[in-house]
Amino acid sequence: VARELYDELKLRWNVDYDASGAIGRRYRRADEIGTPFCITIDFDTVEKDGKTVTIRDRDTTEQIRMKMEDVIPYLSEQIDGYK
């Protein structure tokens, strides 16, 4: 699931795939290099619904859960300024 989303996102933006360590450490590494948004594929995505991810905003640290189909429109609006 994560690789599929990664492959789709890398067609539009400079993205990185990181599956090492605890999520808190991954967020810190991403914050240090200036990654504006992190997308987390977690237990709920894989085992339960298979359709939602968590997106974390670096500047506000707010986390929102959304359908995978809404990720690109959401990021496009946040990064590019349009849907």
Side-chain angles (χ1 to χ4, degrees):
V1 175
R3 281 289 183 185
E4 292 171 14
L5 183 57
Y6 168 78
D7 288 341
E8 196 172 338
L9 293 173
K10 74 179 183 180
L11 297 174
R12 286 187 76 155
W13 298 289
N14 183 18
V15 297
D16 184 44
Y17 180 89
D18 185 357
S20 63
I23 189 65
R25 289 188 191 117
R26 281 185 255 164
Y27 282 155
R28 278 195 297 281
R29 282 195 302 268
D31 290 349
E32 287 174 3
I33 62 171
T35 305
F37 299 96
C38 290
I39 301 171
T40 303
I41 307 293
D42 58 13
F43 175 79
D44 288 339
T45 303
V46 177
E47 298 295 327
K48 289 187 178 178
D49 57 31
K51 298 176 186 167
T52 61
V53 298
T54 302
I55 298 184
R56 178 183 177 268
D57 184 307
R58 176 200 63 214
D59 296 336
T60 65
T61 67
E62 177 185 18
Q63 296 183 29
I64 58 172
R65 193 142 187 94
M66 69 176 55
K67 294 178 184 176
M68 286 176 77
E69 64 199 39
D70 295 334
V71 170
I72 288 178
Y74 173 80
L75 291 176
S76 183
E77 184 175 356
Q78 298 299 311
I79 296 170
D80 304 326
Y82 58 87
K83 291 185 179 185

